[in-house]
C-alpha cells in the first residue's frame, strides 16, 4: 500500500513542479486523474487541528476569522524509522525546514506574498511536503473554511468565492472529501455536509469527521452521528478530540495529545464501544487505506490517460522540432540537414509526389501553344508591308530571280514576335517554381522553428531561381534568334516555281508585283513561320526544363551552401535563433513527457504486481 501511495505522491509532486495540474483548467490532466483528499469545513470547525493531529506536528497558522486563505496541498511521505523529520515547499525546492514553527511562518508569509497583508483569498495553492517516520503516505488539500458572512476588510463576494474554490476541488470525480463538522453544533447546519451532499449526493466519496466531541453540552453525545443514524455516509464517521487552546498555549505535544484522545474514547461510556475506530491515529490509517483502494480502482483510467497524453506530447514535440546543437559543427550539420529536408520537399513537388509540379507541364502543353496561336502576323504580312519590304529589298534595280532579301526581312520581322511567348513561358515557370519554394518552406517544420534560417533559405532559393530564369530566358530567346538568322532552305526548295515570280522588268518599280503575287508571298512566309512555331513549341520547353526545372532540382541551394561554409559560429547561431516561447514550450513539454513516461513505467509495474 505504502509503495502505491508513495508513487502517487511522487507523481503529484512532479506534476505540480511542472505546472501540470488542473486547478484552473477544464482539460483532464494527470493531476486530476490521481486521487487526493480535500479537507472541507466551516471556519473554526477544527480543520487545522485535525490536519495537525494527522501529521503529528504544529505547523499551521492559527488565529481568529479566516486563517487559511490559500489552498494548501499537503503531501505526507513516510520515511524510515530513525530519520529526521523535515518539510519542503515547492516554491523553495532546495530548502529543508526542520523547525515546524518556521513552516508555519513560511505558510503565512507565502500567503501574504500572493494576497498581501489583507484578508483576501487566492486560489493559487501552496505545496508542502512533510517527510517523517511518524506519518502515513497521504495527499491532503486543506481549503479555506466556508463562511456565511464577509467581515471587515473582506469583499462581499468572499463567501461565494470561497465556495467556488472549494467546489473546484471537490467536484472532481477523483477527489475524496473529508468533511469536518463540529459536534457542538447541529449537523443540519454543517457547511461541510451541505456542500459535500451537493457534489456527492450518494456519499460515495465523502468521509465524515466529527470534531469537538469533548466540548458538547453535558447530557448530550454524538453517538447517533458516529453510528451513522443521524446522517448516513457510505463510510463510518470518525470522531476526534483535538487539543484545546489551553493545550496549544502550553505547547502540549502531539504524542501526549494522542494518548489523551485514546483515553477519552476508551474511558467515556457513550463512546467506549466505538473507541477502536475513533481518534486521529485511526483517521490517518483509514484515510491511507481508503486512498490506496481508490488509487487501485483508478489505475486503468490513469494508464489510459497517461498513454494518450504521451502520444499527444510526442506529437507536439515533433511539431516543435528538435533542440539545436551547441557547437559550430553541430549547428552547421543541423542547418544542412534542415536544408536537405526542404530541398527534398521542393523536389517532391516537381516530381509529382506532392502537388504543384503539374503546373509546369500546363505551361508547356497549354499556355505556350495558346500564346503562339494568338500571335497576330497581320501587320507583318499585310499587303502594304509585304510590298514595302519586297520593293525595298530590290534596291535601285529589280531582282532577277526571286526577292530573297525581301523574304528574309519579312520572315525575320515575323519570327521576332515569337520572343514574347518564349519570355512569357520562362516567367510563368519561374513564378511556379517560386510558389513551390514557398510551399516547401511551409511544409518543412524545422524551418518554421527557426525564423532566421527560414528567411535566409527562402531568399537564397529565390535568388537561385532568378539566376536560372535569366539564363533560361537567354537560352529561349537564342532559339528564336537562331530561327531568325538561319532559314531552312529545304522548305523553299520544295515550293512550286512560278513563271510570274520575276514580274515584268518593264513595269514601274511600284507596280512590279501585283496583289496575287504578294498574297502568295505572304502565304509562303506564314507557312514557314508556322513550321518554326511548331518547332519552337517543343524546343522552348526543353530549354526551360534544362535551364530552370532541372537546374532547380539539382542545385537550388548550392550557392547558399558555399556561403554557409564561410560563416562564423556567431552567424550560424543567429540562423538557428528560435522564438524564446517555442524554446520554453519545448523544454516544458520534454520535462512533462519524461514525467509521464516515468509514471507510465512505475504505474505499469504496480498494476502488473497486483
Amino acid at each position: 500500500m505504502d509503495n502505491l501511495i508513495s508513487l502517487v505522491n511522487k507523481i503529484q509532486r512532479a506534476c505540480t513542479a511542472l505546472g501540470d495540474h488542473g486547478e484552473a483548467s477544464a482539460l483532464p490532466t494527470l493531476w486530476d486523474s490521481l486521487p487526493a483528499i480535500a479537507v472541507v469545513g466551516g471556519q473554526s470547525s477544527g480543520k487545522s487541528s485535525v490536519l495537525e493531529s494527522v501529521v503529528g506536528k504544529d505547523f499551521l497558522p492559527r488565529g481568529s476569522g479566516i486563517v487559511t486563505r490559500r489552498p494548501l496541498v499537503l503531501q505526507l511521505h513516510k520515511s524510515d524509522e530513525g530519520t529526521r523529520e523535515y518539510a519542503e515547499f515547492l516554491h523553495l525546492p532546495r530548502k529543508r525546514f526542520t523547525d515546524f514553527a518556521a513552516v508555519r511562518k513560511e505558510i503565512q508569509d507565502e500567503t501574504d506574498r500572493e494576497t498581501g497583508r489583507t484578508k483576501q483569498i487566492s486560489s493559487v495553492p501552496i505545496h508542502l511536503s512533510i517527510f517523517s517516520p511518524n506519518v502515513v503516505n497521504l495527499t491532503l488539500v486543506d481549503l479555506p473554511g466556508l463562511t456565511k458572512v464577509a467581515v471587515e476588510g473582506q469583499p462581499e463576494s468572499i463567501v461565494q468565492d470561497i465556495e467556488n474554490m472549494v467546489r473546484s476541488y471537490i467536484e472532481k470525480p477523483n477527489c475524496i472529501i473529508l468533511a469536518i463538522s463540529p459536534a457542538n453544533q447541529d449537523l443540519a447546519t454543517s457547511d461541510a455536509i451541505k456542500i459535500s451532499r451537493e457534489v456527492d449526493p450518494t456519499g460515495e466519496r465523502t468521509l465524515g469527521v466529527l470534531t469537538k466531541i469533548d466540548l458538547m453540552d453535558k447530557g448530550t453525545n454524538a453517538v447517533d452521528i458516529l453510528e451513522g443514524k443521524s446522517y448516513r455516509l457510505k463510510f463510518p464517521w470518525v470522531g476526534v478530540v483535538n487539543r484545546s487552546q489551553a493545550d496549544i498555549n502550553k505547547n502540549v505535544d502531539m504524542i501526549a495529545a494522542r494518548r489523551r484522545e485514546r483515553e477519552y474514547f476508551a474511558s467515556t461510556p457513550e463512546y467506549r464501544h466505538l473507541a477502536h475506530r475513533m481518534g486521529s491515529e485511526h483517521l490517518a490509517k483509514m484515510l491511507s487505506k481508503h486512498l490506496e483502494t481508490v488509487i487501485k480502482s483508478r489505475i486503468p483510467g490513469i494508464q489510459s490517460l497517461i498513454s494518450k497524453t504521451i502520444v499527444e506530447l510526442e506529437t507536439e514535440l515533433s511539431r516543435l522540432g528538435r533542440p539545436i546543437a551547441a557547437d559550430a559543427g553541430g549547428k552547421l550539420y543541423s542547418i544542412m540537414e534542415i536544408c536537405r529536408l526542404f530541398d527534398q520537399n521542393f523536389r517532391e513537388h516537381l516530381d509529382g509526389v506532392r502537388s504543384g509540379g503539374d503546373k509546369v507541364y500546363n505551361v508547356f502543353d497549354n499556355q505556350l501553344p495558346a500564346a503562339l496561336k494568338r500571335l497576330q502576323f497581320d501587320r507583318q504580312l499585310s499587303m502594304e508591308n509585304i510590298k514595302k519590304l519586297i520593293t525595298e529589298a530590290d534596291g535601285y534595280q529589280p531582282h532577277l530571280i526571286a526577292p530573297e532579301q525581301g523574304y528574309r526581312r519579312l520572315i525575320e520581322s515575323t519570327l521576332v514576335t515569337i520572343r514574347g511567348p518564349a519570355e512569357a513561358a520562362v516567367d510563368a515557370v519561374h513564378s511556379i517554381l517560386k510558389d513551390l519554394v514557398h510551399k516547401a518552406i511551409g511544409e518543412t517544420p524545422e524551418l518554421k522553428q527557426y525564423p532566421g534560417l527560414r528567411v535566409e533559405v527562402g531568399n537564397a532559393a529565390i535568388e537561385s531561381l532568378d539566376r536560372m530564369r535569366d539564363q533560361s530566358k537567354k537560352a529561349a530567346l537564342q532559339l528564336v534568334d537562331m530561327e531568325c538568322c538561319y532559314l531552312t532552305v529545304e522548305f523553299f526548295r520544295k515550293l512550286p516555281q512560278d513563271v510570274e515570280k520575276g514580274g515584268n522588268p518593264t513595269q514601274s518599280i511600284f507596280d512590279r508585283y501585283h496583289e496575287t503575287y504578294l498574297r502568295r508571298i505572304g502565304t509562303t512566309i506564314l507557312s514557314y513561320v508556322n513550321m518554326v512555331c511548331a518547332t519552337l513549341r517543343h524546343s522552348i520547353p526543353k530549354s526551360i526544363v534544362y535551364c530552370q526545372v532541372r537546374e532547380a532540382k539539382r542545385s537550388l541551394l548550392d550557392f547558399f551552401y558555399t556561403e554557409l561554409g564561410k560563416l562564423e559560429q556567431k552567424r550560424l547561431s543567429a540562423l538557428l535563433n528560435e522564438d524564446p516561447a517555442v524554446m520554453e514550450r519545448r523544454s516544458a513539454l520534454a520535462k512533462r513527457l519524461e514525467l509521464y513516461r516515468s509514471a507510465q513505467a512505475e504505474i505499469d509495474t504496480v498494476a502488473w504486481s497486483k
Side-chain angles (χ1 to χ4, degrees):
M1 176 179 72
D2 285 346
N3 289 336
L4 183 57
I5 298 176
S6 293
L7 171 60
V8 171
N9 279 356
K10 173 184 173 183
I11 295 171
Q12 285 175 325
R13 271 189 297 158
C15 286
T16 304
L18 293 177
D20 194 26
H21 48 80
E23 285 90 341
S25 172
L27 298 175
T29 65
L30 183 53
W31 171 274
D32 288 327
S33 71
L34 298 174
I37 300 171
V39 186
V40 181
Q43 287 185 19
S44 303
S45 62
K47 286 194 304 94
S48 296
S49 295
V50 170
L51 285 173
E52 289 184 331
S53 295
V54 169
V55 176
K57 289 290 179 182
D58 291 312
F59 69 99
L60 293 173
R62 293 182 178 275
S64 59
I66 180 170
V67 177
T68 304
R69 292 184 286 121
R70 290 175 61 181
L72 175 68
V73 180
L74 174 64
Q75 290 189 318
L76 305 181
H77 307 270
K78 185 174 180 60
S79 55
D80 295 334
E81 289 295 332
T83 57
R84 191 175 187 183
E85 298 174 309
Y86 67 93
E88 285 183 350
F89 287 94
L90 180 65
H91 62 273
L92 298 171
R94 287 177 291 277
K95 184 174 181 180
R96 287 188 176 185
F97 291 78
T98 54
D99 179 0
F100 281 81
V103 173
R104 180 188 303 112
K105 184 177 185 304
E106 182 58 31
I107 292 174
Q108 184 63 56
D109 291 345
E110 178 62 14
T111 299
D112 291 343
R113 291 184 197 111
E114 180 68 25
T115 64
R117 302 183 67 83
T118 66
K119 295 183 179 180
Q120 301 287 336
I121 64 167
S122 170
S123 61
V124 179
I126 298 173
H127 294 270
L128 172 64
S129 294
I130 295 178
F131 300 81
S132 169
N134 302 317
V135 299
V136 292
N137 289 301
L138 272 179
T139 295
L140 299 161
V141 183
D142 185 23
L143 297 168
L146 296 161
T147 184
K148 295 181 173 64
V149 180
V151 299
E152 185 177 354
Q154 295 176 341
E156 289 297 325
S157 64
I158 195 167
V159 175
Q160 190 61 48
D161 291 343
I162 293 175
E163 181 176 329
N164 292 341
M165 185 193 303
V166 171
R167 285 181 183 276
S168 71
Y169 281 87
I170 66 176
E171 284 178 340
K172 296 173 183 176
N174 289 307
C175 179
I176 301 165
I177 305 169
L178 189 63
I180 309 294
S181 301
N184 58 351
Q185 294 179 13
D186 189 345
L187 195 61
T189 65
S190 169
D191 295 308
I193 292 300
K194 177 178 178 295
I195 196 169
S196 63
R197 180 186 292 174
E198 291 173 4
V199 300
D200 180 33
T202 62
E204 296 287 326
R205 298 188 289 114
T206 303
L207 300 173
V209 176
L210 206 58
T211 61
K212 303 185 180 183
I213 292 177
D214 56 325
L215 301 181
M216 295 181 71
D217 292 337
K218 288 185 178 181
T220 62
N221 61 64
V223 172
D224 286 347
I225 297 174
L226 294 175
E227 290 181 344
K229 295 176 182 177
S230 295
Y231 185 79
R232 179 175 294 277
L233 295 171
K234 181 178 179 181
F235 306 99
W237 282 78
V238 177
V240 296
V241 175
N242 298 323
R243 292 179 301 166
S244 65
Q245 189 60 47
D247 291 337
I248 294 171
N249 294 339
K250 294 176 183 178
N251 292 321
V252 175
D253 65 26
M254 288 297 178
I255 296 176
R258 285 178 175 177
R259 184 174 62 251
R260 285 170 54 179
E261 183 184 44
R262 288 194 299 270
E263 291 172 354
Y264 173 82
F265 284 111
S267 61
T268 303
E270 292 87 352
Y271 305 120
R272 192 176 298 153
H273 67 293
L274 300 172
H276 64 285
R277 60 178 181 85
M278 295 292 115
S280 56
E281 286 183 289
H282 171 76
L283 175 63
K285 292 175 182 178
M286 183 197 73
L287 289 175
S288 185
K289 184 176 181 180
H290 182 65
L291 184 60
E292 179 225 1
T293 302
V294 174
I295 290 171
K296 282 184 177 180
S297 68
R298 297 291 192 275
I299 282 180
I302 295 171
Q303 289 173 310
S304 176
L305 174 63
I306 289 176
S307 297
K308 179 183 176 184
T309 307
I310 285 175
V311 172
E312 292 173 351
L313 290 172
E314 289 175 338
T315 301
E316 178 70 2
L317 273 173
S318 176
R319 187 186 67 80
L320 291 177
R322 295 172 297 179
I324 59 174
D327 60 293
K331 292 179 188 296
L332 183 59
Y333 175 81
S334 296
I335 293 174
M336 297 288 285
E337 183 66 14
I338 292 170
C339 290
R340 185 191 64 79
L341 294 172
F342 157 75
D343 216 21
Q344 179 179 337
N345 290 337
F346 177 74
R347 288 197 301 270
E348 287 180 355
H349 279 290
L350 291 174
D351 292 336
V353 179
R354 300 171 188 256
S355 63
D358 55 307
K359 293 181 180 179
V360 174
Y361 177 73
N362 184 60
V363 171
F364 302 150
D365 195 50
N366 293 307
Q367 294 182 34
L368 178 61
L372 292 172
K373 199 171 186 179
R374 284 195 301 269
L375 286 176
Q376 299 295 325
F377 303 123
D378 295 346
R379 189 180 68 81
Q380 288 84 2
L381 300 180
S382 66
M383 292 296 100
E384 181 182 353
N385 195 52
I386 292 173
K387 185 174 182 179
K388 177 177 179 294
L389 291 180
I390 289 295
T391 55
E392 286 178 352
D394 281 349
Y396 67 91
Q397 63 180 353
H399 63 268
L400 298 177
I401 300 174
E404 182 177 331
Q405 290 302 322
Y407 268 95
R408 288 185 181 280
R409 290 181 185 178
L410 281 169
I411 290 172
E412 288 173 8
S413 65
T414 305
L415 289 179
V416 163
T417 61
I418 302 176
R419 291 170 66 96
E423 286 187 290
V426 171
D427 289 336
V429 171
H430 178 67
S431 178
I432 292 168
L433 294 177
K434 284 205 305 184
D435 287 342
L436 295 185
V437 163
H438 294 311
K439 276 188 177 182
I441 287 175
E443 293 166 355
T444 307
E446 293 78 5
L447 286 178
K448 293 181 181 179
Q449 184 178 344
Y450 306 111
L453 181 59
R454 180 173 67 241
V455 171
E456 291 293 331
V457 168
N459 290 342
I462 298 303
E463 287 174 7
S464 290
L465 291 180
D466 288 345
R467 288 192 296 270
M468 295 169 191
R469 175 198 57 193
D470 295 342
Q471 185 63 34
S472 179
K473 191 169 290 188
K474 181 179 178 181
L477 294 179
Q478 280 180 337
L479 288 175
V480 178
D481 293 343
M482 288 175 190
E483 295 291 347
C484 292
C485 70
Y486 186 82
L487 307 183
T488 305
V489 180
E490 286 76 10
F491 175 84
F492 296 98
R493 287 176 178 169
K494 292 177 182 178
L495 291 176
Q497 299 298 313
D498 194 325
V499 294
E500 296 180 355
K501 189 179 298 183
N504 186 350
T506 62
Q507 290 180 322
S508 165
I509 190 170
F510 298 105
D511 297 327
R512 191 174 298 164
Y513 305 115
H514 53 76
E515 185 178 343
T516 302
Y517 182 61
L518 294 175
R519 187 174 289 108
R520 182 172 298 170
I521 291 174
T523 302
T524 301
I525 292 172
L526 182 60
S527 297
Y528 182 79
V529 170
N530 285 336
M531 181 193 73
V532 172
C533 284
T535 301
L536 291 176
R537 176 181 172 178
H538 299 292
S539 58
I540 288 175
K542 291 179 180 180
S543 172
I544 291 174
V545 169
Y546 181 81
C547 295
Q548 286 177 270
V549 180
R550 174 180 172 273
E551 199 63 19
K553 284 178 61 178
R554 189 179 66 85
S555 61
L556 183 63
L557 294 179
D558 278 7
F559 183 76
F560 178 71
Y561 293 147
T562 302
E563 295 300 309
L564 196 62
K566 303 175 184 177
L567 297 181
E568 298 178 354
Q569 181 170 357
K570 186 176 181 181
R571 181 70 179 118
L572 291 174
S573 299
L575 288 177
L576 294 176
N577 277 345
E578 65 180 329
D579 186 344
V582 174
M583 296 174 66
E584 185 177 345
R585 175 68 174 160
R586 183 192 299 108
S587 177
L589 288 175
K591 291 178 182 177
R592 189 166 286 116
L593 181 60
E594 183 180 358
L595 160 66
Y596 275 69
R597 284 173 174 165
S598 174
Q600 183 183 53
E602 296 193 49
I603 289 179
D604 286 349
T605 300
V606 171
W608 280 103
S609 63
K610 288 197 301 180

